[in-house]
Amino acid sequence: MPAGEQLPGTETASAERIVLHVDNDCFYAACERLREPALAGEPLVIGMGYDETESTGAVATASYEAREYEIESAQPISEAVERLPPRAGSEGDIEPSAHYRPVDMEFYKSVATDVKAILREYGDTVREVSIDEAYLDCTERTTWSAAADYGRRIKEEIQDDVGIPSSIGIAPNMAVAKIASDHDKPDGLVVVPPDEVAEFLDPLPIDALHGVGPVTADKLKSAGLATAGDVASADPSHLVDRFGKRGRELHRRAQGIDERPVTPRGDPKSLSRESSFDEATATWDAVRDRVMELAAAVADRATQRGATYRTIGIKVVTPPYDVNTRERSLPGPVDEPDLVHDVALDLLEEFREVPVRKVGVRVSNLSFAAGEQPPLSTWEPTDDLQDGRESTVLDRTGQTTLRAFVGDDGSVGDVN
Ligand code: DCP
Ligand code: MG
């Protein structure tokens, strides 16, 4: 058990929090190394749908040794295989090459459960956001001067008891803690006390800000804003002129302001993704492609959270701003990405001749596996402020309302 080391009234002012973000390093690969120690230090690629006879599917993750060859998550496996062919394990192998393993979610979930059990010992509140990621509010557990030791202890306990490496960031809020944990990966430990937030953020490229994707980064760069410091010192009204509501949020994030409390997450009622087109209306092909992408993303999120769904729906927004929703219920709960794809496209057919501004895909009537540890059913998306995306909020009666990019709790597209 961690010792409570707080010195009341000395270092932690009431509004000042100590937030810690943990993210395991190359998580699926680290899990594979647990049960196959010979993979330690080797280039290792974990592929969704990977199979020795067929190189279809996508890279789920790659070890840092494989990342040196520009192999990364979401890349087609065929591309990874071109850069690093599979190693046969015998003498005389071609170099460079890598070991490939298929995804084994059940195993990774069991490892994640062990990690999360340790984290719950260390945080006053713990918000588990993905299979290998969590925020801890440690305000009552440590002080800024002891924070580095506190973080180190957590890393060591995860390494010693579970056997996998992690990176930790500690900062006054979730947004900065997340950037800090990513700053020195792998095996990183970065502490950013309140009076060092600006100094830490200012030199970072703007895409280091959580949720600033390539599209926004390009727009910011073309406006002469290359670093977080540039955005922080920009006139917020100019940012709003250019980026709408997101401009204000970007300005706040660049300054390291984030008032979201660290709260545990409940199970969502639905999972959804939606996306607007830049033009007022899009071509049918573009609409179809976008729906296919969204269907895959939603199905993937459900799989990652261990959720099954009984209803699959789409949303089509037509000019001026008419929201049309269609959904289909299934005979029983499923976790079948192909079905989300097929049903979504089928429902979309009705809108073939219609101008479309925005589309969305949603799965609902969710169930989470009985006996599953809460952490495995409470992951949240990590794509706040995503390019061109808005969140759909569905209330408990299934009514859809729209909310701009980032919710107060930073979630996108999920309902608690
Ligand atoms: N994952 C996935 N598909 C993606 C991204 C991630 O299947 N597009 C899976 C594999 C990862 C796990 O989720 O191991 C955790 O995601 P992270 O983004 O934390 O990536 P890693 O833990 O692999 O690497 P890092 O060391 O950068 O955290
Ligand atoms: Mg990780």
Side-chain angles (χ1 to χ4, degrees):
M1 271 290 289
E5 291 166 355
Q6 194 202 10
L7 304 171
T10 53
E11 292 195 49
T12 40
S14 59
E16 193 177 278
R17 291 171 302 136
I18 301 179
V19 177
L20 186 147
H21 181 255
V22 191
D23 188 315
N24 295 118
D25 302 325
C26 58
F27 180 63
Y28 292 4
C31 292
E32 292 297 339
R33 285 170 165 171
L34 263 183
R35 58 180 175 187
E36 223 183 315
L39 296 173
E42 296 279 325
L44 171 61
V45 179
I46 311 301
M48 251 161 312
Y50 178 75
D51 160 330
E52 278 168 26
T53 55
E54 243 187 356
S55 304
T56 55
V59 172
T61 195
S63 70
Y64 281 78
E65 293 80 2
R67 291 183 198 189
E68 285 177 20
Y69 296 87
E70 288 170 20
I71 293 182
E72 57 188 24
S73 297
Q75 193 173 49
I77 292 197
S78 53
E79 209 175 303
V81 164
E82 264 173 42
R83 287 169 206 250
L84 285 182
R87 194 174 292 185
S90 55
E91 291 297 313
D93 263 337
I94 36 166
E95 293 285 349
S97 59
H99 302 270
Y100 285 76
R101 296 289 179 273
V103 169
D104 179 353
M105 277 315 288
E106 286 312 304
F107 178 55
Y108 309 153
K109 283 180 185 178
S110 72
V111 177
T113 303
D114 295 343
V115 175
K116 300 287 164 63
I118 292 174
L119 298 182
R120 281 196 290 273
E121 298 279 303
Y122 280 93
D124 298 325
T125 50
V126 178
R127 183 179 185 86
E128 290 136 1
V129 289
S130 81
I131 191 163
D132 78 332
E133 210 188 326
Y135 294 93
L136 281 61
D137 190 318
C138 302
T139 313
E140 305 296 324
R141 303 294 188 97
T142 188
T143 61
W144 283 111
S145 56
D149 282 342
Y150 196 75
R152 200 167 296 116
R153 215 151 72 211
I154 298 176
K155 273 162 64 79
E156 282 169 7
E157 191 164 330
I158 297 171
Q159 183 69 61
D160 294 347
D161 291 5
V162 185
I164 62 168
S166 42
S167 294
I168 287 184
I170 306 177
N173 60 55
M174 292 205 284
V176 180
K178 166 121 182 139
I179 298 169
S181 78
D182 202 37
H183 194 66
D184 197 21
K185 256 184 176 297
D187 197 25
L189 174 62
V190 174
V191 180
V192 186
D195 57 353
E196 291 175 23
V197 168
E199 191 186 326
F200 171 67
L201 291 181
D202 281 357
L204 298 180
I206 30 155
D207 46 15
L209 296 179
H210 187 33
V212 174
V215 176
T216 304
D218 281 351
K219 282 187 192 161
L220 287 166
K221 277 181 207 152
S222 66
L225 306 172
T227 64
D230 293 341
V231 177
S233 55
D235 180 341
S237 62
H238 290 161
L239 293 168
V240 171
D241 287 348
R242 186 137 184 145
F243 296 97
K245 278 185 187 167
R246 289 186 77 204
R248 201 166 295 122
E249 185 59 31
L250 279 168
H251 191 241
R252 288 165 57 79
R253 289 286 171 101
Q255 294 175 289
I257 299 171
D258 177 11
E259 274 141 19
R260 292 171 298 164
V262 179
T263 51
R265 281 184 64 90
D267 288 342
K269 301 292 174 212
S270 67
L271 297 168
S272 65
R273 276 286 171 91
E274 60 183 74
S275 172
S276 308
F277 295 97
D278 283 342
E279 319 76 44
T281 60
T283 63
W284 171 244
D285 280 351
V287 172
R288 252 180 77 89
D289 286 352
R290 194 69 65 88
V291 165
M292 287 193 276
E293 280 170 30
L294 296 171
V298 166
D300 185 48
R301 190 124 56 88
T303 306
Q304 293 242 337
R305 292 186 175 201
T308 56
Y309 31 87
R310 279 200 24 227
T311 303
I312 298 167
I314 60 162
K315 171 162 136 180
V316 178
V317 180
T318 54
Y321 208 87
D322 296 325
V323 178
N324 307 277
T325 54
R326 300 287 182 271
E327 60 180 36
R328 187 171 300 161
S329 287
L330 310 166
V334 298
D335 167 14
E336 280 183 46
D338 288 350
L339 205 56
V340 181
H341 171 276
D342 294 352
V343 171
L345 285 185
D346 204 36
L347 294 170
L348 187 66
E349 276 300 318
E350 179 189 338
F351 300 92
R352 193 179 261 273
E353 307 294 333
V354 178
V356 175
R357 301 186 82 114
K358 178 187 278 186
V359 286
V361 175
R362 168 170 79 123
V363 294
S364 53
N365 265 323
L366 302 183
S367 314
F368 293 88
E372 192 100 290
Q373 292 294 314
L376 300 175
S377 56
T378 55
W379 308 335
E380 73 179 359
T382 52
D383 52 1
D384 315 4
L385 271 171
Q386 270 212 348
D387 283 320
R389 293 228 166 100
E390 287 185 343
S391 63
T392 308
V393 177
L394 297 137
D395 70 18
R396 282 164 210 282
T397 62
Q399 291 291 309
T400 305
T401 54
L402 280 179
R403 199 162 68 156
F405 293 90
V406 184
D408 294 339
D409 65 354
S411 66
V412 176
D414 284 358
V415 185
N416 285 305

